[in-house]
Amino acid sequence: MIKSSSFALYYHKNYLNGGNCRSDSISTLAELKAASQTPTAARNRLTYLFDEGKFTELDAYAAAGDSLAGVITAFGYVEGNPVYAFSQDVTVKDGALTEAQAKKIAKVYDLAAKTGVPVVGIFDSYGADVSDGSKALNAYGELLMWTSNLSGVVPQIAVVAGTCAGCAAMLAESADFTVIAKDAELYVAPNANIKNSAENAAENGTAAVVCEDDKAAVEAAKNILTKLPQNNLSPVPMYEFADPTEAVGDDADGIAKAVCDGDSVTELNAEYGKASYTALATLGGATVGVVATNKTGDKLTSADCSKIARFVRTCDAYAIPVVTFVDTEGFKADDETEAYGAVKDMAKLCHAYAEATTIKLAVVTGKAYGPAFIALAGKGSNADLSFALDTAVISALAPVTAVEFLQHDELKGAADLTAARNTLADKFAKENASAAVAAKNGCVDGIIAKNEIRQTLMDSIEVMAGKRISRLPKKHSNIQL
């Protein structure tokens, strides 16, 4: 049978085949207590999340007809900080969303809004309860409103532990970060040709992290959550830290781990936009967002631009400083890129940096040409402070391209045109596009050595801690999406 919607899937499973649901009639208090305390995966997942596995359950006896509501809602502590959570129970009507379940989840969002406390949602449901009909539709609408209103106010982490179908998928993807278990599924309208939903979710940027199982997924969400502030008005968390033990390398991961505190780097969206690198880490004990453009030697693609833009906007929402390591020849330019309309995503990247009011620091560690330098490390709108290694090459054009424009006559008659062009390009890079020239022209604030990056960034964040910016009054910016 071809799956056509979450409603149809749930109907097929439960009304035609009997389904996997706990639907015995519950009426007495003893029966309610017994049903609510039955060990389930949903309850276990909350123990993985909260300190010492302890939490306070909310509305434990709320029912939908003859069954419990199909979701466990609770609050507890994660690394000593309060957190609200809900965990859908697939043993009750396959976790199908009913009006009663939606009310329980909405209460969590309401409490989070009142108290400024993060929310973790653990999804495991085949969709809405068809027997609830229009009530279920209204319930989903209310939950989508809640998660949208709370976006950028309190951190929201979604854990896809099983099936997350239909409107629930949109709800999960509205979170700041989505973590998915390897065998889980995430879709609005299922496609029979997609055989590995979790892998697909990682490759298209839907999931920030893919984990081996539900326990690992909850623990990954917990790790992300500990690096985020409680809300948009709280300072970033501070931790005791260890100095890095690695020397600064040339690739994104090597640079991040050598500059940030030891064992603090958590890469996100690793399988999406593979030329770029985004991670949460700590620097001097305080959370920072790390962006790097040289995970591979490739130019930045549309996916890279979307990935970085989304990450920068998330960091900005919670006033997390953004540190950008720039080493790229720029944006990819080919027929496929142009046909896709990648300029829209490039504009989105520029907009995200320019609009962000959080602390923005940039270090040019290698090549930074034209629009890429302007978007990622340019002074004024995109970086509060920019630094460059003494080996950096900063140019309006790639040196080879500049030579073709400016020194084409010198290439005439060359026995080996490629060698002659490369020789002139190297000379141009040293004489016209060096870090010294960039500093002289005010493009960067200073030239530093590799072993000075960490201390320079820590000092810069400290001195920028009081940063205040006022923007023109408006409802919201009209960023390209």
Side-chain angles (χ1 to χ4, degrees):
M1 178 179 179
I2 300 298
K3 297 182 286 185
S4 59
S5 72
S6 57
F7 273 98
L9 175 61
Y10 175 68
Y11 180 83
H12 176 71
K13 288 176 63 65
N14 291 283
Y15 288 84
L16 300 184
N17 293 341
N20 172 31
C21 61
R22 213 170 60 213
S23 58
D24 296 333
S25 179
I26 299 174
S27 56
T28 67
L29 178 60
E31 289 173 331
L32 282 170
K33 285 184 176 180
S36 67
Q37 293 172 5
T38 302
T40 61
R43 191 171 295 276
N44 288 339
R45 289 161 184 161
L46 290 177
T47 66
Y48 303 151
L49 174 67
F50 292 113
D51 295 346
E52 300 178 359
K54 298 177 181 179
F55 56 87
T56 300
E57 189 171 350
L58 300 169
D59 300 316
Y61 304 147
D66 292 335
S67 301
L68 291 177
V71 67
I72 302 171
T73 55
F75 65 85
Y77 293 87
V78 175
E79 296 294 329
N81 293 310
V83 173
Y84 288 105
F86 63 85
S87 181
Q88 289 184 306
D89 189 351
V90 75
T91 68
V92 180
K93 292 185 177 180
D94 286 308
L97 186 97
T98 61
E99 184 180 31
Q101 182 180 139
K103 285 182 177 179
K104 287 186 69 172
I105 297 173
K107 183 174 181 178
V108 166
Y109 286 129
D110 183 39
L111 290 170
K114 291 175 180 176
T115 57
V117 171
V119 177
V120 175
I122 304 175
F123 294 84
D124 191 359
S125 168
Y126 284 94
D129 186 349
V130 70
S131 65
D132 245 10
S134 59
K135 290 182 179 179
L137 288 176
N138 290 335
Y140 266 130
E142 182 181 1
L143 294 182
L144 286 167
M145 179 197 70
W146 267 115
T147 190
S148 296
N149 286 345
L150 281 176
S151 180
V153 178
V154 300
Q156 299 179 65
I157 311 293
V159 177
V160 180
T163 297
C164 184
C167 292
M170 294 192 293
L171 190 64
E173 193 57 21
S174 296
D176 295 306
F177 299 101
T178 301
V179 181
I180 188 170
K182 183 177 66 175
D183 295 328
E185 294 182 293
L186 177 64
Y187 57 82
V188 175
N191 183 336
N193 293 321
I194 301 298
K195 303 302 182 183
N196 189 330
S197 185
E199 181 180 334
N200 182 63
E203 291 177 352
N204 64 29
T206 305
V209 181
V210 176
C211 298
E212 189 65 26
D213 53 30
D214 61 344
K215 183 178 181 180
V218 174
E219 290 173 345
K222 185 174 181 177
N223 180 41
I224 294 171
L225 192 62
T226 57
K227 290 185 170 69
L228 301 175
Q230 283 290 97
N231 54 63
N232 63 330
L233 299 179
S234 299
V236 295
M238 294 288 298
Y239 294 96
E240 294 183 0
F241 65 92
D243 290 334
T245 57
E246 302 178 27
V248 178
D250 294 322
D251 67 305
D253 192 59
I255 292 171
K257 290 180 178 177
V259 171
C260 297
D261 299 336
D263 297 322
S264 74
V265 179
T266 300
E267 185 180 1
L268 302 167
N269 292 109
E271 300 304 314
Y272 177 61
K274 293 186 178 182
S276 58
Y277 179 95
T278 52
L280 288 173
T282 63
L283 185 60
T287 299
V288 294
V290 178
V291 175
T293 61
N294 63 337
K295 186 174 180 179
T296 68
D298 300 320
K299 293 183 178 181
L300 300 177
T301 65
S302 176
D304 291 301
C305 293
S306 291
K307 169 182 172 176
I308 297 172
R310 163 71 170 168
F311 182 73
V312 169
R313 285 173 65 84
T314 302
C315 290
D316 185 51
Y318 301 109
I320 298 171
V322 176
V323 176
T324 305
F325 296 104
V326 184
D327 181 8
T328 177
E329 293 186 5
F331 300 111
K332 188 176 181 180
D334 55 24
D335 291 344
E336 181 181 354
T337 301
E338 291 303 316
Y340 186 79
V343 65
K344 180 175 68 173
D345 295 301
M346 297 169 191
K348 176 166 53 178
L349 173 63
C350 294
H351 192 131
Y353 270 97
E355 187 185 38
T357 59
T358 190
I359 297 170
K360 296 173 291 186
L361 306 175
V363 181
V364 181
T365 59
K367 301 171 182 177
Y369 300 156
F373 173 78
I374 296 170
L376 298 164
K379 298 293 298 297
S381 63
N382 299 324
D384 297 306
L385 293 172
S386 293
F387 302 94
L389 298 186
D390 54 8
T391 55
V393 180
I394 301 170
S395 176
L397 294 172
V400 170
T401 305
V403 165
E404 284 289 351
F405 273 101
L406 303 175
Q407 297 173 279
H408 183 74
D409 290 343
E410 296 181 39
L411 296 172
K412 292 179 179 179
D416 187 335
L417 184 61
T418 299
R421 184 185 294 112
N422 289 337
T423 298
L424 289 175
D426 289 341
K427 181 180 179 182
F428 178 89
K430 292 176 183 178
E431 296 180 356
N432 302 94
S434 66
V437 172
K440 180 180 178 181
N441 293 329
C443 293
V444 296
D445 294 290
I447 301 172
I448 58 177
K450 279 188 175 181
N451 61 3
E452 296 175 322
I453 296 176
R454 175 176 166 84
Q455 190 62 51
T456 299
L457 291 175
M458 286 196 294
D459 291 344
S460 298
I461 289 174
E462 184 174 354
V463 79
M464 293 292 299
K467 178 183 177 183
R468 298 290 184 270
I469 287 184
S470 296
R471 299 295 195 196
L472 293 172
K474 56 185 174 182
K475 188 172 183 180
H476 58 72
S477 63
N478 194 20
I479 189 172
Q480 287 283 358
L481 296 174

